[in-house]
Amino acid sequence: MDTLAHSNSAAMSQASTGVGAPLLVATNVSKSFGGVLAVNNVSFELKAGEVHGLVGANGAGKSTFTRILAGAEIADAGTIRRDGRDIAPATPREGRLEGIAAIYQELSLVPERSALSNVFIGNLLHKGPFLDISAMRKRYAEINAWMGVNIPPHAVARSLSIADQQMLEIMRAMQGRNAVLVMDEPSAPLGPKERAKLHALIAQLAGMGTGIIFISHDLDEVLTHCDRVSVMRDAQLIDTRPASEWSKASLVTAMLGQASVAEGTVRSHYGSDVLSADNVSVTGRVFNASFSVQAGEILGIAGLVGAGRTELLCALAGAEPRASGRVKVEGKTHSLPASLQQAISSGIALVPEDRKRHGLILSRSSLSNITLPNLKTLSRFSFLKRSKQRQSGESLSQAVGFSPSRITAVSGKLSGGNQQKLVIGKWLYRRPRVFLLDEPTRGVDVGAKHEIYHAIRQIANDGAAIILVSSDLDEVVTNADRILVLARGRIVGELDRAEASVERILKLVFGVTGEQASE
């Protein structure tokens, strides 16, 4: 889009030395928190027009390092040079003034504000002493069109899907006309269609001279869309190579210091039906979904963002007031649960998409969170038995691969993978018959993913029925025993383990017939 390309002339001029010239150089950067090294003597170079992948397990130091570059953290030692000048941004605002913006893994929107307000927070446009609302609306429309999204400027942020909220985060960084853009897991909440738009956008930005630091746990994405890839492990930068010189296997080995953990064995025999859904609908989003899931089975639900996957899980969990239909659990048929508590009493537990907002109390300890649903059974005469709580918490932690030594840590300070383990683990004590898992590995590193996959398979092996929703279609194909394909709120197909593939899922989603596929 010509108007937007012109508006990015600042990035172009700052990269005037040409694509490939050093744009941002960090030398011997270190940062400690409470005596623990989070970033240890890291040196890193970003070139103009380059998409530079930065990968590593959770806790490797990636986010802390990039927060230092953007001014959200202050380094203890080391230097940062931008276009040959020493800089030391002490706040994100100072970082933006240096042309460095960041899109972090965790959303930072103001939920009650409009989409327009969120995009221009911290960078309002003025006409003299007054806000220039007209100019902001025009700029918003330009970015909206260029990114290929259609988010109304008046829409309240909390009413939007996670994918649209992530697009707002990207729009906020885009409107600032920055020469350096840090993207921390920008595609994690996006479906295939939205990811394709994001990748096209990244390519356009790089073509205009913007240097992009791209953090992702999707190694296929990193290898496909990045020019160079750097690996961090244990707070250090281990290696940097052109993307063509890396493979998924070599990246995993560099990240973990060892070969990746093998995935769990898929079962072929299950028990009887644990849950049967009959004509489950959610006004305007899900239409007459009927299916069943058996004891010990992992049922995957695949589809694009907006297909109705989350709404379907929420309907089964009593968290969707617009839902109708009936459900049978353990042979007992009744209306859909009217509340989360009613669903839990029926043996249905939901692990929600947004672990921070809906899965954890971030200010409380890991122990408090993982034992929260079980306080009644861990108490006597309304007094909590601390020793029993600790014993229960450590046992649940071990079951999901969470280190009991971190049981007293504040959950809000944990990595995404450890937080997700707590959200899953807190239900194990109650032994629900049905687990509803919505994006259980979003924003989780490779090592933690395998631990979560192992925990999920163990839960199934213990006899529970699992319904797994994920925007990562490879994840669904790899871990599900059977897959329902959802498109535009309707079940459009079912694939068993032997016939499932990403290609077949997408053909069902887009309605591609056998004849069309062979053309």
Side-chain angles (χ1 to χ4, degrees), residues 14 21-29 42-48 65 68-70 75 77-89 95 98-100 179-180 213:
Q14 289 166 338
L23 183 63
L24 187 72
V25 179
T27 305
N28 300 329
V29 172
V42 169
S43 295
F44 175 90
E45 179 191 70
L46 175 69
K47 298 178 180 180
F65 175 64
I68 290 170
L69 298 180
T79 60
I80 302 170
R81 293 178 67 83
R82 166 85 169 79
D83 271 348
R85 298 179 295 104
D86 283 351
I87 64 171
E98 294 290 352
I100 305 170
V180 176
I213 301 174

Side-chain angles (χ1 to χ4, degrees), residues 29-221:
V29 172
S30 295
K31 175 70 176 180
S32 296
F33 295 101
V36 178
L37 271 171
V39 177
N40 184 10
N41 205 37
V42 169
S43 295
F44 175 90
E45 179 191 70
L46 175 69
K47 298 178 180 180
E50 176 186 32
V51 183
H52 195 134
L54 185 60
V55 301
N58 280 344
K62 310 181 302 295
S63 294
T64 301
F65 175 64
T66 52
R67 285 172 64 83
I68 290 170
L69 298 180
E73 298 284 355
I74 300 175
D76 297 332
T79 60
I80 302 170
R81 293 178 67 83
R82 166 85 169 79
D83 271 348
R85 298 179 295 104
D86 283 351
I87 64 171
T91 66
R93 178 175 176 79
E94 290 183 12
R96 289 193 296 271
L97 290 174
E98 294 290 352
I100 305 170
I103 303 163
Y104 296 114
Q105 178 180 344
E106 304 301 340
L107 299 174
S108 59
L109 302 176
V110 181
E112 303 302 325
R113 300 291 294 274
S114 69
L116 180 70
S117 296
N118 272 286
V119 166
F120 286 91
I121 283 177
N123 196 19
L124 298 172
L125 302 185
H126 291 83
K127 190 173 185 180
F130 304 104
L131 285 179
D132 194 340
I133 301 297
S134 177
M136 287 192 287
R137 285 184 174 276
K138 181 180 179 182
R139 176 72 178 160
Y140 181 95
E142 288 176 354
I143 303 171
N144 222 30
W146 191 53
M147 287 178 57
V149 298
N150 185 26
I151 303 174
H154 59 271
V156 178
R158 62 174 169 76
S159 70
L160 300 173
S161 67
I162 294 294
D164 279 346
Q165 290 182 38
Q166 181 72 318
M167 287 299 181
L168 285 186
E169 293 274 9
I170 296 170
M171 289 174 69
R172 179 193 294 170
M174 290 299 310
Q175 67 88 15
R177 308 171 188 179
N178 298 286
V180 176
L181 192 58
V182 177
M183 292 186 163
D184 190 349
E185 293 287 347
S187 62
L190 306 181
K193 185 177 179 181
E194 291 79 10
R195 285 190 178 203
K197 289 181 180 179
L198 175 64
H199 296 151
L201 172 65
I202 289 171
Q204 291 182 67
L205 287 170
M208 294 191 301
T210 303
I212 298 169
I213 301 174
F214 189 82
I215 299 174
S216 176
H217 293 310
D218 185 334
L219 300 185
D220 287 314
E221 180 178 50

Side-chain angles (χ1 to χ4, degrees), residues 400-453:
V400 291
F402 181 89
S403 173
S405 66
R406 306 196 68 183
I407 200 71
T408 58
V410 176
S411 61
K413 301 293 185 181
L414 298 174
S415 67
N418 280 325
Q419 289 178 347
Q420 194 65 40
K421 293 173 188 177
L422 293 178
V423 178
I424 296 172
K426 72 180 185 180
W427 295 115
L428 297 182
Y429 188 89
R430 298 179 71 108
R431 302 183 66 84
R433 300 296 295 132
V434 182
F435 275 82
L436 309 177
L437 307 180
D438 195 355
E439 304 286 3
T441 65
R442 182 171 73 86
V444 169
D445 74 78
V446 173
K449 276 188 178 183
H450 284 290
E451 290 176 329
I452 290 172
Y453 295 154

Side-chain angles (χ1 to χ4, degrees), residues 266 275 291-294 297-303 308-310 312-313 316 349-353 420 424 434-442 449 452-457 459-460 464-486 497 505:
V266 175
L275 179 143
F291 60 92
S292 62
V293 57
Q294 299 174 323
E297 181 183 23
I298 299 176
L299 175 67
I301 297 184
R309 302 165 305 165
T310 292
L312 178 56
L313 289 197
L316 298 174
L350 172 66
V351 175
E353 177 182 16
Q420 194 65 40
I424 296 172
V434 182
F435 275 82
L436 309 177
L437 307 180
D438 195 355
E439 304 286 3
T441 65
R442 182 171 73 86
K449 276 188 178 183
I452 290 172
Y453 295 154
H454 177 77
I456 291 171
R457 177 54 61 186
I459 293 169
I466 293 174
I467 301 179
L468 169 67
V469 164
S470 175
S471 295
D472 184 342
L473 299 182
D474 279 315
E475 179 171 88
V476 178
V477 170
T478 300
N479 291 281
D481 303 314
R482 182 166 54 97
I483 300 171
L484 298 180
V485 181
L486 202 63
R497 171 69 182 170
I505 290 172

Side-chain angles (χ1 to χ4, degrees), residues 489-505:
R490 291 179 169 83
I491 296 175
V492 295
E494 179 178 325
L495 301 170
D496 63 29
R497 171 69 182 170
E499 62 182 346
S501 69
V502 171
E503 181 182 9
R504 296 199 70 167
I505 290 172

